[in-house]
Amino acid sequence: MKLMEYEAKDIFVQYDIPTSTGYMVENVENLKAVLYKLGLPVILKAQVLVGGRGKAGGIKFAKTEDEAMEMANKILNMEIKGLPVKKLLVCTPSEIQKELYVGFVIDRNKKKMTLLASTEGGVDIEQVAATSPEKIQRVLIDPIIGIQEFQCRNVASKMGYKGKEMLSLATIIYKLGQIMQDKDAELIEINPLAITPNGFEALDAKLVIDDNSLFRQTEFKEDFKDSQEYTPIEIKAMEAGLAYVELDGDVGIIGCGAGLVMASLDVVNHYGGKPANFLDIGGGASAENMKKALEIINLKKGVKSIFINIFGGITKCDEIARGILEFDPSVPVYVRMMGTNEKEARKILNEKGYELYQSMQEAAKAAVKGV
Amino acid sequence: MKLMEYEAKDIFVQYDIPTSTGYMVENVENLKAVLYKLGLPVILKAQVLVGGRGKAGGIKFAKTEDEAMEMANKILNMEIKGLPVKKLLVCTPSEIQKELYVGFVIDRNKKKMTLLASTEGGVDIEQVAATSPEKIQRVLIDPIIGIQEFQCRNVASKMGYKGKEMLSLATIIYKLGQIMQDKDAELIEINPLAITPNGFEALDAKLVIDDNSLFRQTEFKEDFKDSQEYTPIEIKAMEAGLAYVELDGDVGIIGCGAGLVMASLDVVNHYGGKPANFLDIGGGASAENMKKALEIINLKKGVKSIFINIFGGITKCDEIARGILEFDPSVPVYVRMMGTNEKEARKILNEKGYELYQSMQEAAKAAVKGV
Amino acid sequence: MAILVDEKTRIVVQGATGRQGQFHSNRMKLYGSKIVGGVTPGKGGQMMGDIPIYDTVEEVEADASIIFVPSRFMKDAALEAISLGLSPVVCITEHVPVQDAMFIIEHAKEQEVDIVGPNTPGLISPGKALLGILPPHIFKEGPIGLLSRSGTLTYEIIDEMTRNDLGQTTALGIGGDPVIGMDFISTLERFEQDKDTKAIVMIGEIGGNAEELAAEYIKEYITKPVVSYIAGKTAPPGKRMGHAGAVISGNTGTAESKIKALNAVGVPVATMPHEVPQLLKDLL
Amino acid sequence: MAILVDEKTRIVVQGATGRQGQFHSNRMKLYGSKIVGGVTPGKGGQMMGDIPIYDTVEEVEADASIIFVPSRFMKDAALEAISLGLSPVVCITEHVPVQDAMFIIEHAKEQEVDIVGPNTPGLISPGKALLGILPPHIFKEGPIGLLSRSGTLTYEIIDEMTRNDLGQTTALGIGGDPVIGMDFISTLERFEQDKDTKAIVMIGEIGGNAEELAAEYIKEYITKPVVSYIAGKTAPPGKRMGHAGAVISGNTGTAESKIKALNAVGVPVATMPHEVPQLLKDLL
């Protein structure tokens, strides 16, 4: 789960990583007290979990109280890439002399956490990686030994720093690595890490916690459902234990197993259809899972036909068939079923007038036509 | 530093290791409140850092309040192997069905922490190790990976337990290993770990913290000087940064470097003398160190001569000579000096009438004679 | 021949008495896998049908392990199997924290143990042994090695292959997580070494660049024909498509990039799953 | 020849700018050791006399390291040296937590790096290189290899040896802590391999059973004559005699036991330090 900037910065503060002083506000009424504490000018930053909020007008500089109130009001009533802004981070602006990048990611191929650092901060690091890979340092961290302080000094030193500055930078990198480990993060980034007359300062913060670790990272558990990361239907699906991704087409798609559902989307697309969603009920799903899947698809507007693609391995086709009968969506349903207990399933569904297919491509074609 | 039983058990409680309920009292007045909480009967256990307190009468069973008060009074006024008893642990007695041993030590040769476990608990484990080594399980713990739960299950299972008992025992062992790691212990032991009708219970607790880790194990730092582990002169020496061990002879011995001082003791002994102490001023010692060393020896009763043995490597003999002149002990001093700046030292000391030797054995002989 | 497991491999099931573990232990045994015992700490001494249950893996004389424990116990269970040198250790469990996965995999590498998964359907050497949750009836002995990031999609393609009389030496699900033990490259290497494998099917999906790296490896080291299918051509960026690893980040991890890389080294990539058998026939 | 270091070994000093580090860097250089740089994080870029100071070990082209940092920084400093494959890494620092020592030593073993210490005076190959804090003027080139748990006691015995014209190939303090890197056995092995070493002096003390194990090893593998001295015959049980490792626990670690074990395998043990040269002469 992605954390908001202000949440990540709260953790930075716990680890003594210097960040610009700031407070989160949820409404204009609270802003006054914050302005009293911070003084003027301030920067107002929309707290949303998508990139590009600056370009979208979600970051504003205010010199007077009136200006701040007006801008806060504006930002708190705005949507950025479809997400409503509910929170603002109000900070004292820093005098930026230079912007760096430091972060940790998981290297899937090396199977290790990797420290990334660059003197080219404040811009998209993937862009830097693509155009000038030599400007990024990469250090693999042994998953058993963990991050070591000397590794951070090596990086800070190669970034060109000396003396106390080198040591401060190394300490920031080390603490960041400790957060990555302690909090089971998938990604942690300071971009930019600014150099100011007061030393280094984390101006932005990105922190993504591994969802699979929430059983032990209990401090984040309750944040999970508040998160803006998912649409309301996606959250409903999550609560039902189903993997659901919202798309903007009109063919609803349900299948068992992530790979098969992805392939189903591709086949629908191949025949000129537009998938409305990705919905994986998983291997060995029950009738109840199937029913819930249909309910969830039904919540989505603009779905004109539904393609159900079941390959019965562990999944029993008759079980799925019974699930299909438990919910009656308002649009035509095209079912492809094969494998375990296929005959029984066929019998159950034929009785109720469902069209059944054996081939995935035939079913997909029909669903596209049915729109 | 060794912790007292009650201190170790406090840590056990933090780690959810089941121990018999008990309270520490420092005087008979507090005992009443404790008896009110615990009920009767109780066991009163002298808190001292030496073994054999049971045989010395430091552990008593009391059935009535009067009995408890009387016994507490007795134990709190007793000395065990020269150590005054200042604290009592008052516990509810447990119904013991069987006694086990579990603990962790540092294996110096394997250079790893080692888990020890035996179904022969309640007795001296070194005795068991000597007579029936096959009754002790030994599992080496990887210093980088640390203790793993499965290792504890393996041990618990081989001790003959099954089902929930096996799991509880494994958990106790695992927690014990975690304490060993988390608290930088050199030794941790539950002996006996009793089986009672309520399950496993730690009846005694031994925990030795690595003195070298006190910079990070700050919770123990203040205990350090309260500890009964050292005699008052030993503590004075420690405060002066000198390594001092009290012995019961009459030849005071000061030297530079632990090995050389041990050898000095041996040589004095070889010539029929009895060392009064071990005192290492370390390599590269200053005049001030030397002066303090003499002051410390002077505190010790019954010293009849002092043998100072200096091999000047990093240590400068003239510096040591100046230190010797700064304190005038009441007994004769025999100085052996060799090495760096030996000539200057000789001059300084000869002027003040000290006898100087070049050979260690000659000086030792003289010091023995001088008693 | 086959890779990793055959009819002689003695298998222990960790987490054997849970719902999943019980079902699949019996199913694997029924298929002919040499299941020598199940392990569930605290339940040792019981019998589960004719499979004896133990408290510890140490008590079982086994060569390989398959793990069904809940994700929070995966690290400990895997370290237990690794400590005894069992190989492969197949981690069926999904939702394993990535830090635990990295730890297990690094330690296994040091101990020269093969980890399959986590979040894998496991593997099958048809006619010899099933070490996973794959539906064995759709498989058939034959000359094709298959490796895949997906479960059901694999079954879909296997089914088409078997219908077309293209049997398999071994089929292995490498798992859908971002960090996994046996990966495309290490599995391709095994298939290359296996005499009976005459051609290889590699099923990829969006996310990461494992397929691109596999393409480079194929070019350099694989002499046998390889056919591929890549799922997720219509997946949007930034969204996890079911599998934890199936996500396009920025410009990396797209199906286009993978298909391009594979085509560039002469690996045909099927447009739709059912085309795989024909592509294989074209090359054999 | 010599073991571990010679005149060609390029040495970096970690913790070079502290009082001890500074003194001994200059002293080692003066002796002829090839000190190529000092490292103190945050002080890089300075010169200490003619020794350049760096922020990181990575910036120095070195073969071996000697560490003088305070004990709380030892683990990090040692891991830094190990990460670059420097060997030996000589840990002069005393009061290192035993858990840190075990960690460093285990990791060094995996990386095939020799650790000397912690809490060691280091080593000297007379006439070639000093990598430690031993007083070099008492040493002399010659055919005797010396290994010891003690510092000043070593100097005492070395001085007697040098006066008796018994020079040394290498003299190495293995350190006075309970857990150390190079130990009696691994050092004996090196002396056995070294052609120029004709006889070995092994100085032990109370605590542990390293001398007993060394005796077994000598019996099995050492063909060269070995002479010993064991300090602490009059030490009481349960008390630390200066060195953290010098403590008799129960019945283990007594001087008697060690002397008995060594005598049993034909190693003469001197009653007093000054007798060592005569014992050596008897055997050569």
Side-chain angles (χ1 to χ4, degrees):
Chain A
M1 64 176 294
K2 291 180 194 165
L3 298 192
M4 299 259 192
E5 178 191 3
Y6 79 93
E7 293 172 307
K9 282 186 171 172
D10 278 353
I11 294 173
F12 284 10
V13 169
Q14 289 164 29
Y15 278 78
D16 290 324
I17 295 177
T19 58
S20 43
T21 317
Y23 297 93
M24 189 272 284
V25 298
E26 295 184 83
N27 51 54
V28 177
E29 293 72 57
N30 292 347
L31 182 59
K32 252 196 167 149
V34 166
L35 290 179
Y36 183 77
K37 276 190 272 187
L38 286 178
L40 284 158
V42 291
I43 288 185
L44 307 166
K45 300 169 90 178
Q47 298 296 289
V48 279
L49 292 173
V50 288
R53 59 186 169 161
K55 279 184 195 157
I59 302 181
K60 291 286 177 193
F61 186 87
K63 279 184 217 135
T64 66
E65 192 177 312
D66 287 351
E67 221 176 29
M69 299 299 267
E70 193 195 317
M71 281 167 177
N73 203 42
K74 218 174 189 173
I75 300 176
L76 282 169
N77 281 305
M78 119 195 244
E79 280 199 356
I80 298 180
K81 297 189 185 169
L83 294 175
V85 180
K86 290 180 184 161
K87 291 168 179 174
L88 269 183
L89 180 61
V90 187
C91 300
T92 302
S94 305
E95 194 186 312
I96 303 170
Q97 293 168 337
K98 187 166 169 45
E99 296 186 326
L100 311 176
Y101 171 95
V102 291
F104 288 83
V105 298
I106 305 290
D107 186 319
R108 297 163 64 132
N109 301 311
K110 298 289 201 306
K111 304 166 194 185
K112 288 184 170 80
M113 164 176 143
T114 304
L115 159 56
L116 298 179
S118 174
T119 49
E120 308 277 308
V123 293
D124 182 5
I125 196 69
E126 287 187 21
Q127 208 67 40
V128 180
T131 56
S132 336
E134 76 286 354
K135 286 187 176 152
I136 300 179
Q137 286 188 65
R138 287 168 190 274
V139 180
L140 289 172
I141 309 302
D142 185 301
I144 299 176
I145 295 184
I147 179 84
Q148 296 300 312
E149 290 185 79
F150 78 85
Q151 296 173 312
C152 305
R153 291 196 302 269
N154 284 347
V155 166
S157 171
K158 283 190 198 154
M159 284 171 93
Y161 292 92
K162 285 271 163 206
K164 274 188 190 158
E165 276 197 314
M166 186 280 284
L167 294 174
S168 311
L169 180 54
T171 302
I172 290 169
I173 297 171
Y174 183 62
K175 301 272 183 186
L176 210 60
Q178 286 188 307
I179 298 175
M180 181 85 171
Q181 291 172 173
D182 295 353
K183 306 292 181 190
D184 269 302
E186 286 179 351
L187 175 89
I188 188 165
E189 256 182 19
I190 308 180
N191 190 20
L193 175 63
I195 307 173
T196 76
N198 305 320
F200 294 98
E201 221 171 75
L203 294 195
D204 199 352
K206 209 164 160 186
L207 180 53
V208 183
I209 307 299
D210 180 358
D211 292 349
N212 290 345
S213 75
L214 293 180
F215 70 86
R216 62 188 176 207
Q217 298 295 341
T218 45
E219 64 179 299
F220 302 114
K221 241 178 171 167
E222 45 189 293
D223 287 15
F224 199 56
K225 284 174 195 166
D226 292 344
S227 154
Q228 287 196 326
E229 210 173 341
Y230 306 99
T231 68
I233 304 182
E234 282 172 351
I235 290 171
K236 262 209 157 44
M238 224 178 277
E239 285 169 355
L242 303 171
Y244 176 87
V245 175
E246 207 151 329
L247 303 170
D248 47 15
D250 46 17
V251 182
I253 296 178
I254 301 172
C256 59
L260 188 61
V261 183
M262 271 189 268
S264 305
L265 265 63
D266 294 349
V267 173
V268 163
N269 188 65
H270 181 79
Y271 290 117
K274 289 208 154 192
N277 69 287
F278 166 103
L279 202 169
D280 174 14
I281 57 172
S286 64
E288 180 66 17
N289 294 143
M290 186 64 223
K291 179 191 156 201
K292 277 193 183 144
L294 280 168
E295 282 173 6
I296 280 161
I297 296 259
N298 205 51
L299 292 172
K300 159 110 179 144
K301 282 173 196 162
V303 173
K304 293 183 186 151
S305 74
I306 296 175
F307 168 27
I308 299 175
N309 188 5
I310 303 299
F311 188 95
I314 314 164
T315 313
K316 292 180 188 112
C317 291
D318 55 336
E319 181 78 15
I320 299 299
R322 271 184 282 273
I324 294 174
L325 297 186
E326 280 180 40
F327 187 86
D328 194 14
S330 45
V331 296
V333 175
Y334 303 85
V335 184
R336 182 268 181 146
M337 274 194 182
M338 255 199 77
T340 313
N341 301 354
E342 180 187 328
K343 267 187 206 161
E344 295 88 319
R346 196 163 289 277
K347 205 179 144 204
I348 292 167
L349 288 174
N350 281 342
E351 277 174 9
K352 298 285 172 179
Y354 279 89
E355 288 192 67
L356 249 87
Y357 299 83
Q358 258 216 327
S359 130
M360 176 169 162
Q361 59 272 29
E362 291 309 316
K365 258 191 241 174
V368 171
K369 237 185 186 171
V371 169
Chain B
M1 64 176 295
K2 291 180 193 164
L3 298 191
M4 300 260 194
E5 178 191 3
Y6 79 93
E7 293 172 306
K9 282 186 172 173
D10 278 353
I11 294 173
F12 284 10
V13 169
Q14 289 163 32
Y15 278 77
D16 290 326
I17 294 177
T19 58
S20 43
T21 317
Y23 297 93
M24 189 271 284
V25 298
E26 295 185 83
N27 51 54
V28 177
E29 293 72 57
N30 292 347
L31 181 59
K32 251 196 170 148
V34 166
L35 292 179
Y36 182 75
K37 276 190 273 186
L38 286 178
L40 285 156
V42 291
I43 289 185
L44 306 167
K45 300 168 92 179
Q47 299 296 289
V48 279
L49 292 174
V50 288
R53 59 187 170 159
K55 279 184 195 156
I59 301 181
K60 291 286 178 195
F61 186 87
K63 278 185 218 132
T64 67
E65 191 176 313
D66 287 351
E67 221 177 30
M69 299 299 267
E70 193 195 316
M71 282 167 176
N73 202 41
K74 217 174 186 174
I75 300 176
L76 282 169
N77 283 305
M78 115 195 247
E79 280 198 358
I80 298 180
K81 298 189 184 168
L83 295 175
V85 180
K86 291 180 184 162
K87 291 170 180 173
L88 269 183
L89 180 61
V90 187
C91 300
T92 302
S94 304
E95 193 186 314
I96 303 170
Q97 293 168 338
K98 186 164 171 48
E99 296 185 328
L100 312 176
Y101 171 95
V102 291
F104 288 83
V105 298
I106 305 291
D107 186 318
R108 295 162 66 131
N109 301 310
K110 298 289 199 310
K111 304 165 193 185
K112 289 184 170 78
M113 165 176 143
T114 304
L115 159 55
L116 298 179
S118 175
T119 49
E120 308 276 307
V123 293
D124 182 3
I125 196 69
E126 287 187 22
Q127 208 66 39
V128 180
T131 56
S132 335
E134 76 287 353
K135 286 187 177 153
I136 300 179
Q137 286 189 67
R138 289 169 189 271
V139 180
L140 290 171
I141 308 302
D142 184 301
I144 299 175
I145 294 185
I147 179 85
Q148 295 300 313
E149 291 185 77
F150 78 85
Q151 296 173 313
C152 305
R153 290 195 302 269
N154 283 347
V155 166
S157 171
K158 283 190 199 155
M159 285 171 93
Y161 291 91
K162 285 272 163 206
K164 275 188 189 158
E165 277 196 316
M166 186 279 285
L167 293 175
S168 312
L169 180 53
T171 302
I172 290 168
I173 297 171
Y174 183 63
K175 302 272 181 185
L176 210 59
Q178 285 187 308
I179 297 174
M180 181 86 170
Q181 292 171 173
D182 295 352
K183 306 292 181 190
D184 269 301
E186 286 180 350
L187 174 91
I188 187 165
E189 256 182 20
I190 307 180
N191 190 21
L193 174 64
I195 306 173
T196 75
N198 305 319
F200 294 99
E201 221 171 75
L203 294 194
D204 200 353
K206 209 164 160 187
L207 180 52
V208 183
I209 305 299
D210 180 359
D211 293 349
N212 290 344
S213 74
L214 293 180
F215 70 86
R216 62 188 176 206
Q217 298 296 342
T218 45
E219 64 178 299
F220 303 114
K221 241 177 170 167
E222 47 188 292
D223 286 15
F224 200 56
K225 284 172 195 166
D226 292 344
S227 154
Q228 287 196 329
E229 211 172 340
Y230 306 100
T231 68
I233 304 181
E234 282 171 351
I235 290 170
K236 262 208 158 45
M238 224 178 279
E239 285 169 354
L242 303 170
Y244 176 87
V245 175
E246 207 152 327
L247 302 170
D248 47 14
D250 46 18
V251 182
I253 296 178
I254 300 172
C256 58
L260 188 62
V261 183
M262 270 189 269
S264 306
L265 265 62
D266 293 348
V267 173
V268 163
N269 188 64
H270 182 78
Y271 289 118
K274 288 210 154 189
N277 69 287
F278 167 102
L279 202 171
D280 174 15
I281 57 171
S286 65
E288 180 65 17
N289 294 142
M290 185 64 222
K291 179 191 158 202
K292 277 195 181 145
L294 281 169
E295 283 173 9
I296 280 162
I297 297 259
N298 205 50
L299 292 171
K300 160 110 179 143
K301 281 173 197 163
V303 173
K304 292 183 186 150
S305 74
I306 296 175
F307 168 28
I308 298 175
N309 188 5
I310 303 298
F311 188 94
I314 313 164
T315 313
K316 292 180 187 115
C317 291
D318 55 335
E319 181 77 16
I320 299 298
R322 272 184 282 273
I324 293 174
L325 296 186
E326 280 180 40
F327 187 87
D328 193 15
S330 46
V331 296
V333 174
Y334 302 86
V335 183
R336 181 269 182 145
M337 274 194 182
M338 255 199 76
T340 313
N341 302 352
E342 180 186 328
K343 267 188 204 162
E344 295 88 317
R346 195 164 291 278
K347 206 179 146 203
I348 292 168
L349 289 174
N350 281 342
E351 279 174 8
K352 299 285 172 178
Y354 278 89
E355 289 194 65
L356 248 85
Y357 299 83
Q358 259 216 325
S359 130
M360 177 168 161
Q361 57 273 28
E362 291 309 317
K365 259 190 241 172
V368 171
K369 236 184 186 170
V371 168
Chain C
M1 263 173 73
I3 68 164
L4 293 161
V5 286
D6 60 27
E7 67 281 9
K8 292 189 293 286
T9 310
R10 294 170 302 174
I11 296 164
V12 59
V13 181
Q14 291 178 258
T17 58
R19 201 179 56 84
Q20 263 220 318
Q22 201 160 344
F23 176 75
H24 290 289
S25 295
N26 291 321
R27 197 149 156 280
M28 288 187 283
K29 197 171 165 73
L30 205 65
Y31 188 70
S33 302
K34 206 164 176 179
I35 305 294
V36 288
V39 169
T40 299
K43 301 210 168 165
Q46 307 177 1
M47 289 296 288
M48 187 176 77
D50 52 356
I51 299 171
I53 300 299
Y54 301 90
D55 280 324
T56 65
V57 180
E58 208 177 34
E59 295 166 80
V60 193
E61 278 284 324
D63 306 304
S65 167
I66 180 164
I67 308 183
F68 290 96
V69 302
S71 64
R72 68 183 67 197
F73 304 120
M74 172 53 87
K75 183 176 166 187
D76 188 50
L79 293 182
E80 182 173 5
I82 295 167
S83 78
L84 295 160
L86 306 195
S87 187
V89 175
V90 179
C91 304
I92 301 294
T93 308
E94 56 180 347
H95 302 308
V96 175
V98 69
Q99 284 201 21
D100 293 358
M102 293 191 296
F103 192 108
I104 293 165
I105 291 165
E106 178 71 15
H107 186 53
K109 200 174 70 186
E110 287 167 4
Q111 306 294 315
E112 295 178 24
V113 161
D114 293 319
I115 299 287
V116 179
N119 191 16
T120 170
L123 65 151
I124 184 170
S125 298
K128 299 187 181 70
L130 166 65
L131 188 61
I133 61 170
L134 312 97
H137 59 276
I138 60 170
F139 292 85
K140 183 188 162 175
E141 274 191 79
I144 315 292
L146 180 141
L147 66 170
S148 171
R149 277 170 72 184
S150 163
T152 41
L153 178 56
T154 301
Y155 313 155
E156 178 79 36
I157 289 171
I158 286 285
D159 189 62
E160 296 277 355
M161 284 166 60
T162 297
R163 279 166 201 275
N164 282 274
D165 204 28
L166 294 159
Q168 305 91 36
T169 46
T170 299
L172 178 132
I174 60 173
D177 277 2
V179 173
I180 48 175
M182 295 282 293
D183 52 20
F184 280 139
I185 290 176
S186 51
T187 311
L188 283 167
E189 190 186 351
R190 304 295 172 97
F191 278 131
E192 177 70 18
Q193 289 161 3
D194 178 47
K195 271 187 219 160
D196 290 348
T197 299
K198 304 296 178 204
I200 301 166
V201 175
M202 183 177 117
I203 304 172
E205 63 189 28
I206 54 158
N209 65 338
E211 290 81 358
E212 287 87 335
L213 294 177
E216 286 174 35
Y217 184 84
I218 289 167
K219 189 184 171 189
E220 203 74 34
Y221 301 106
I222 302 297
T223 60
K224 299 176 182 180
V226 181
V227 162
S228 183
Y229 174 76
I230 304 293
K233 289 190 281 278
T234 43
K239 290 286 186 179
R240 291 225 155 120
M241 304 302 276
H243 286 153
V247 55
I248 298 170
S249 327
N251 298 319
T252 59
T254 63
E256 287 65 33
S257 156
K258 294 166 192 302
I259 293 169
K260 204 177 142 193
L262 287 164
N263 282 335
V265 300
V267 173
V269 180
T271 306
M272 285 187 284
H274 70 279
E275 296 168 2
V276 166
Q278 191 53 52
L279 292 180
L280 272 173
K281 282 181 185 167
D282 293 347
L283 287 173
L284 279 172
Chain D
M1 263 174 71
I3 68 165
L4 292 162
V5 286
D6 60 26
E7 67 281 9
K8 292 188 295 286
T9 310
R10 295 171 302 175
I11 296 164
V12 58
V13 181
Q14 291 178 258
T17 58
R19 200 178 56 83
Q20 261 220 319
Q22 201 159 346
F23 176 76
H24 289 289
S25 295
N26 291 321
R27 195 148 157 281
M28 287 187 283
K29 196 171 166 74
L30 206 65
Y31 187 70
S33 302
K34 206 164 175 179
I35 304 294
V36 288
V39 169
T40 299
K43 301 210 169 165
Q46 306 178 4
M47 288 296 290
M48 187 175 77
D50 52 357
I51 299 171
I53 301 299
Y54 301 90
D55 280 325
T56 66
V57 180
E58 207 178 33
E59 295 166 80
V60 193
E61 278 284 324
D63 306 305
S65 167
I66 181 165
I67 308 183
F68 289 96
V69 301
S71 64
R72 68 182 68 197
F73 304 122
M74 172 52 87
K75 183 176 165 187
D76 188 49
L79 293 183
E80 182 173 5
I82 295 166
S83 78
L84 295 159
L86 306 194
S87 186
V89 175
V90 178
C91 304
I92 301 294
T93 307
E94 56 180 347
H95 301 309
V96 176
V98 69
Q99 283 200 22
D100 292 358
M102 293 191 295
F103 193 108
I104 292 165
I105 291 164
E106 177 70 16
H107 186 53
K109 201 175 69 185
E110 286 166 5
Q111 306 295 315
E112 295 178 24
V113 161
D114 293 320
I115 299 287
V116 179
N119 191 17
T120 171
L123 65 151
I124 183 170
S125 296
K128 297 186 182 72
L130 167 65
L131 188 61
I133 60 170
L134 312 96
H137 59 276
I138 60 171
F139 293 86
K140 182 187 163 176
E141 275 191 78
I144 315 291
L146 181 140
L147 66 170
S148 171
R149 277 170 71 182
S150 163
T152 41
L153 178 55
T154 301
Y155 313 156
E156 179 80 35
I157 290 171
I158 285 284
D159 190 62
E160 297 277 357
M161 283 165 59
T162 296
R163 280 167 199 275
N164 282 275
D165 204 25
L166 294 159
Q168 305 90 37
T169 47
T170 299
L172 178 131
I174 60 172
D177 277 1
V179 173
I180 47 174
M182 295 282 294
D183 52 20
F184 281 139
I185 290 176
S186 51
T187 311
L188 283 167
E189 191 187 350
R190 304 297 172 97
F191 279 131
E192 177 69 20
Q193 289 160 5
D194 177 49
K195 270 186 221 162
D196 289 349
T197 299
K198 304 295 181 205
I200 302 166
V201 175
M202 184 177 115
I203 304 172
E205 63 189 30
I206 54 158
N209 65 339
E211 290 82 358
E212 287 87 337
L213 294 177
E216 285 175 35
Y217 184 83
I218 288 167
K219 189 184 172 191
E220 201 76 32
Y221 302 105
I222 303 296
T223 61
K224 300 175 181 180
V226 181
V227 161
S228 184
Y229 174 76
I230 304 293
K233 289 190 280 278
T234 43
K239 290 284 187 181
R240 291 225 155 119
M241 304 302 275
H243 287 154
V247 56
I248 298 170
S249 328
N251 299 319
T252 60
T254 64
E256 287 66 31
S257 156
K258 292 165 193 303
I259 293 168
K260 203 177 142 194
L262 287 163
N263 282 336
V265 300
V267 173
V269 180
T271 306
M272 284 187 286
H274 70 278
E275 296 168 2
V276 166
Q278 191 52 53
L279 292 181
L280 270 174
K281 282 181 183 165
D282 293 347
L283 288 173
L284 278 171

